[in-house]
Amino acid sequence: MTPPNTERRHPRSTGLGALDANAVLSLMDDEEPVVTRAVARARPALAAAAVEMARTCASGGTVAFVGGGTSGHLVLQEVAELGPTFGAPPGRFRAHIASSSLHDPAVVTAREDDGEAGPAAVADLGPGDLLIAVAASGSTPFVLATVRNAHGIRTCGIANNPDAPLLAEVDFPILLDTGPELLTGSTRLKAGTAQKLALNRITTAAHVLLGAVRENHMVELRGTNDKLRRRAVAIVTDLMGVDEDRAREALDAAGWHVRSAVEHLAAP
């Protein structure tokens, strides 16, 4: 059986095991443009996914991500950042992952070969929701079974192989064709990097469409710790042209929600 691109040996790295550290990094540097080119080629599909995510959120729907292995870890990281960055309400975004390297039952749904846990995890989703499935191979049983059982739910799939079954099963297919890895089969490298870039693009563009960005600032940010409060003060001073004391006063009155503080300062 012919292996998928992500599992093939890279012809330029057959001597990888004999290289010194500098040579290893040089080889990786030379290969990195493959990632950015793959993501750039997928721009129309990424934009379509961002529009669909924004539409789902605007109508109060849920966006569920599923992934296994490296893809699962990336999904979990992306979802964890959306609340602090964009003020996403609890439950709007959620992650269902399969991983053998994590042991916290709060985040590990199943093993990657489990074809039953994924569908069960998203059984409560409906026509107003969106499912985003991520798998380098595009054939991970946990991920593929989830998509195949997502009846009546809009689906988006991200994979790194042109013939990935996942891409044939979804409404919004996104191919990130990063080819063979320098370390054979280690999709935490180019494939994972491309997936991270793709997820960043989809979620950021979606929240721009949702109005969570003003100029280039995160206006839905809430100052829940010292770092975020400093950032909130900087945003309000920059957007409203007030000094830091006035910004802090407005933020304090607004519960440290940037948009509310800005609207307070803008009121006549």
Side-chain angles (χ1 to χ4, degrees):
M1 184 177 68
T2 303
N5 283 355
T6 52
E7 297 294 329
R8 293 178 182 173
R9 293 186 72 191
H10 198 302
R12 293 185 58 234
S13 65
T14 54
L16 181 65
L19 299 180
D20 62 23
N22 188 68
V24 171
L25 299 185
S26 177
L27 189 60
M28 294 179 77
D29 287 345
D30 291 343
E31 194 71 6
E32 202 69 18
V34 173
V35 174
T36 53
R37 287 197 296 268
V39 175
R41 285 194 298 270
R43 186 184 302 141
L46 294 169
V51 170
E52 187 63 21
M53 179 180 287
R55 193 200 66 77
T56 300
C57 294
S59 62
T62 296
V63 179
F65 294 79
V66 294
T70 294
S71 301
H73 300 166
L74 292 170
V75 158
L76 189 63
Q77 180 185 24
E78 192 72 21
V79 169
E81 295 288 349
L82 296 179
T85 304
F86 297 115
R92 171 62 47 77
F93 297 94
R94 66 194 209 197
H96 302 284
I97 78 170
S99 174
S100 59
S101 63
L102 297 174
H103 304 287
D104 181 351
V107 296
V108 179
T109 306
R111 301 285 179 165
E112 291 182 55
D113 292 334
D114 190 334
E116 297 180 0
V122 299
D124 61 327
L125 296 183
D129 302 319
L130 175 66
L131 177 66
I132 299 180
V134 189
S137 66
S139 59
T140 305
F142 172 83
V143 174
L144 198 54
T146 305
V147 169
R148 285 174 172 167
N149 285 276
H151 305 302
I153 305 167
R154 293 183 306 281
T155 56
C156 170
I158 301 174
N160 299 82
N161 287 307
D163 56 352
L166 174 64
L167 300 180
E169 298 282 349
V170 297
D171 301 310
F172 299 91
I174 298 173
L175 170 63
L176 305 173
D177 190 0
T178 47
E181 300 289 358
L182 293 175
L183 179 62
T184 308
S186 184
T187 53
R188 67 187 238 286
L189 299 176
K190 290 188 300 179
T193 300
Q195 290 172 11
K196 173 60 175 169
L197 293 175
L199 291 170
N200 282 170
R201 280 159 169 71
I202 293 169
T203 57
T204 302
H207 283 89
V208 167
L209 296 178
L210 287 165
V213 176
R214 179 168 172 178
E215 296 184 8
N216 59 353
H217 285 304
M218 300 177 280
V219 292
E220 295 296 347
L221 181 143
R222 291 185 181 274
T224 56
N225 59 39
D226 287 343
K227 179 188 76 173
L228 294 180
R229 288 190 174 204
R230 288 194 297 272
R231 184 178 297 165
V233 170
I235 293 172
V236 173
T237 58
D238 187 47
L239 287 177
M240 303 308 296
V242 298
D243 61 29
E244 292 188 0
D245 289 340
R246 184 72 182 97
R248 286 194 188 90
E249 179 183 306
L251 283 161
D252 193 53
W256 285 86
H257 179 220
V258 169
R259 179 185 294 280
S260 297
V262 167
E263 290 175 350
H264 172 73
L265 288 169

